[in-house]
């Protein structure tokens, strides 16, 4: 894809074509999201394509984090972009554009997880069994359980640990830690009580702490 | 050892979800509670670690391929203009109707035989008669319409 836009430059002959507009080429890659959104809202698909190109990895990564499946992440991330285009006029800039599209892909993933009954039907008992009971607190935390790991390695290990959580646990972690949602908002989006959000978050964090400490033990052995 | 409510309360404290009054109570109790301090520290470290190392991923497809699929979906889901749909609805009926009318015109202006042979072998002449023949090869049917 050429870096410059494809808007036609009408170099008109003012004597013969006085009314033909003179438009300028848009340098889409150098434009801010806000400008691209404005153009896209007016029907400029190239501006929208630039937005897709700019944020596609983030949207895909969020889908992958939620679904833990590359094909589904691909499908829902693309569907999120389609919905974003269709609802573009509704975007008023209350959040960043990337955040707005991220919320769309999260909603699509949540819908799918609900359909697959992967977020609501996991019983507290099942979670207790999986995580060992809420009476156990977080494992004794070291100052830095992952000290010495390279950033990329650490990122990979956190992703690996997230993958070992149940969908229900992982969902609340994603919504709270990465999306910055409050308990109440998470409860509304997932369709569970605030109390369940709190307990799931606690279990998930304890499990993550355990997994991250395990990886350090593995590494030192 | 703390009960569930106390643990979740401490977590809510770390997450900034407590009411102002409850937050003050927790803060007042923390200095004397080593278990609680440890839990609060652990939760904060874990949260900081996770947020600072949010897993990343790259779309496993080229820009062109990824975008082409999105564009195709956008184009496919463009709502049809109601006026256009209505017009198409009329056309759906109008086109066959026009075809029937054209056939009728051709048939009515077609020269017809003035003489026919009856089944009994006799001829009928000078009778004001017209006939129309319809033959369907696919159905293997021939219809003679005699007036």
């Amino acid at each position: 894809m050429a870096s410059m836009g494809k808007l036609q430059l009408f170099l008109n002959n003012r004597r013969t074509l006085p009314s033909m507009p003179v438009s300028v080429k848009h340098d889409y890659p150098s434009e801010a999201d806000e400008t691209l959104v404005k153009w896209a809202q007016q029907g400029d698909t190239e501006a929208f394509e630039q937005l897709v190109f700019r944020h596609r990895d983030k949207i895909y990564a969020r889908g992958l984090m939620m679904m833990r499946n590359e094909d589904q992440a691909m499908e829902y991330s693309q569907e999120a972009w389609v919905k974003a285009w269709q609802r573009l006029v509704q975007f008023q800039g209350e959040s960043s554009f990337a955040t707005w599209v991220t919320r769309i892909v999260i909603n699509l993933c949540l819908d799918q997880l609900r359909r697959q009954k992967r977020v609501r039907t996991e019983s507290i008992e099942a979670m207790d069994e999986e995580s060992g009971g809420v009476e156990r607190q977080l494992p004794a935390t070291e100052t830095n359980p992952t000290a010495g790991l390279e950033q990329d390695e650490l990122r990979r290990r956190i992703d690996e640990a997230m993958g070992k959580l149940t969908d229900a646990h992982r969902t609340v972690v994603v919504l709270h830690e990465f999306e910055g949602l409050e308990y109440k908002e998470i409860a509304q989006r997932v369709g569970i009580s605030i109390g369940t959000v709190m307990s799931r978050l606690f279990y998930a964090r304890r499990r993550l702490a355990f997994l991250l400490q395990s990886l350090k033990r593995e590494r030192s052995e | 050892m703390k009960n569930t409510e106390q643990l979740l309360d401490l977590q809510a404290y770390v997450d900034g979800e407590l009411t102002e009054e409850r937050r003050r109570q927790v803060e007042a109790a923390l200095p004397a509670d080593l278990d609680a301090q440890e839990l609060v520290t652990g939760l904060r470290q874990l949260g900081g670690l996770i947020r600072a190392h949010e897993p990343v991923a790259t779309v496993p497809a080229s820009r062109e391929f990824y975008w082409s699929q999105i564009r195709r979906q956008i184009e496919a889901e463009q709502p049809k203009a109601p006026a256009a749909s209505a017009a198409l609805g009329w056309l759906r009926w109008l086109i066959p109707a026009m075809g029937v009318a054209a056939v009728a015109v051709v048939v009515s202006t077609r020269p017809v035989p003035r003489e026919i042979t009856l089944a009994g072998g006799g001829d009928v002449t000078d009778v004001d008669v017209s006939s129309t023949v319809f033959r369907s090869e696919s159905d293997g049917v021939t219809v003679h319409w005699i007036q």
Side-chain angles (χ1 to χ4, degrees):
Chain A
M1 178 58 61
S3 61
M4 299 294 285
K6 288 181 181 172
L7 280 186
Q8 294 299 310
L9 181 63
F10 295 108
L11 294 172
N12 59 328
N13 179 334
R14 288 190 177 279
R15 280 180 303 176
T16 55
L17 297 167
S19 61
M20 189 172 273
V22 179
S23 58
V24 292
K25 281 183 180 176
H26 289 314
D27 184 12
Y28 292 105
S30 66
E31 294 294 346
D33 277 8
E34 293 76 15
T35 308
L36 293 171
V37 167
K38 204 191 309 171
W39 289 341
Q41 284 173 330
Q42 292 162 1
D44 186 341
T45 51
E46 283 193 59
F48 189 68
E49 183 189 356
Q50 182 61 39
L51 288 165
V52 172
F53 176 64
R54 201 172 281 180
H55 301 293
R56 65 185 181 139
D57 286 342
K58 180 179 168 56
I59 304 305
Y60 170 77
R62 184 60 80 244
L64 187 60
M65 173 72 78
M66 295 282 289
M67 306 305 294
R68 309 303 297 181
N69 177 297
E70 286 187 3
D71 290 339
Q72 287 183 321
M74 189 78 165
E75 180 185 343
Y76 297 131
S77 69
Q78 288 180 317
E79 196 176 332
W81 286 113
V82 174
K83 289 200 181 301
W85 170 261
Q86 290 167 341
R87 300 172 187 171
L88 208 50
V89 287
Q90 296 169 22
F91 177 69
Q92 300 297 318
E94 295 90 351
S95 62
S96 74
F97 178 73
T99 299
W100 185 66
V101 185
T102 304
R103 297 284 158 85
I104 295 176
V105 78
I106 284 175
N107 285 341
L108 288 170
C109 292
L110 281 174
D111 285 346
Q112 181 60 22
L113 290 171
R114 272 191 218 103
R115 275 197 291 274
Q116 296 176 353
K117 300 185 177 179
R118 283 163 61 179
V119 284
R120 293 187 68 174
T121 56
E122 292 171 57
S123 68
I124 294 292
E125 292 73 22
M127 285 191 246
D128 270 348
E129 192 178 324
E130 179 211 25
S131 50
V134 75
E135 70 278 2
R136 288 192 202 165
Q137 298 188 21
L138 285 169
T141 46
E142 299 171 28
T143 310
N144 185 353
T146 50
L149 286 176
E150 292 294 326
Q151 297 295 299
D152 286 348
E153 174 67 3
L154 185 51
R155 213 179 283 277
R156 199 182 64 74
R157 295 295 185 123
I158 288 173
D159 185 44
E160 206 176 292
M162 292 286 287
K164 288 182 177 170
L165 298 179
T166 64
D167 294 311
H169 286 151
R170 190 173 55 255
T171 296
V172 292
V173 172
V174 169
L175 295 180
H176 186 77
E177 301 292 3
F178 300 143
E179 292 302 314
L181 297 187
E182 294 178 356
Y183 294 169
K184 189 179 166 187
E185 293 172 283
I186 297 171
Q188 286 169 349
R189 282 173 183 269
V190 182
I192 53 179
S193 69
I194 290 178
T196 305
V197 171
M198 292 170 76
S199 58
R200 284 187 185 179
L201 200 50
F202 190 83
Y203 285 128
R205 283 166 160 166
R206 197 189 52 190
R207 180 101 172 113
L208 281 173
F210 172 78
L211 290 166
L212 290 171
Q213 285 192 333
S214 307
L215 75 87
K216 190 184 180 187
R217 279 198 298 274
E218 280 170 28
R219 199 167 175 269
S220 60
E221 282 172 3
Chain B
M1 188 67 71
K2 305 205 172 302
N3 64 32
T4 305
E5 194 181 340
Q6 289 170 317
L7 293 174
L8 298 184
D9 224 23
L10 285 167
Q11 177 182 245
Y13 167 71
V14 171
D15 291 336
E17 294 267 0
L18 291 182
T19 61
E20 187 59 27
E21 187 188 353
R22 184 71 192 120
R23 187 184 64 79
R24 272 197 235 106
Q25 288 173 351
V26 170
E27 280 179 347
L30 266 179
D33 189 338
L34 289 178
D35 280 352
Q37 284 178 36
E38 194 179 348
L39 180 63
V40 166
T41 304
L43 286 169
R44 282 186 175 146
Q45 283 181 346
L46 184 68
L49 188 73
I50 292 171
R51 285 190 294 274
H53 298 88
E54 182 179 343
V56 293
T58 306
V59 171
S62 70
R63 172 181 176 166
E64 288 74 19
F65 181 72
Y66 188 72
W67 169 246
S68 70
Q69 289 187 313
I70 293 168
R71 192 181 52 200
R72 199 176 308 136
Q73 256 184 284
I74 287 173
E75 287 168 357
E77 293 185 20
Q78 290 281 6
K80 285 174 186 157
S85 300
L88 282 174
W90 277 106
L91 280 176
R92 211 171 290 133
W93 292 104
L94 191 60
I95 290 169
M98 285 171 68
V100 170
V103 169
V105 168
V106 168
V107 165
S108 64
T109 57
R110 186 177 162 193
V112 293
R114 300 292 290 171
E115 183 175 295
I116 60 174
T117 305
L118 297 177
D123 292 336
V124 178
T125 55
D126 294 332
V127 177
D128 188 13
V129 157
S130 67
S131 72
T132 302
V133 178
F134 170 76
R135 179 169 184 77
S136 170
E137 296 293 343
S138 59
D139 297 321
V141 172
T142 303
V143 175
H144 295 266
W145 181 259
I146 303 167
Q147 289 182 312

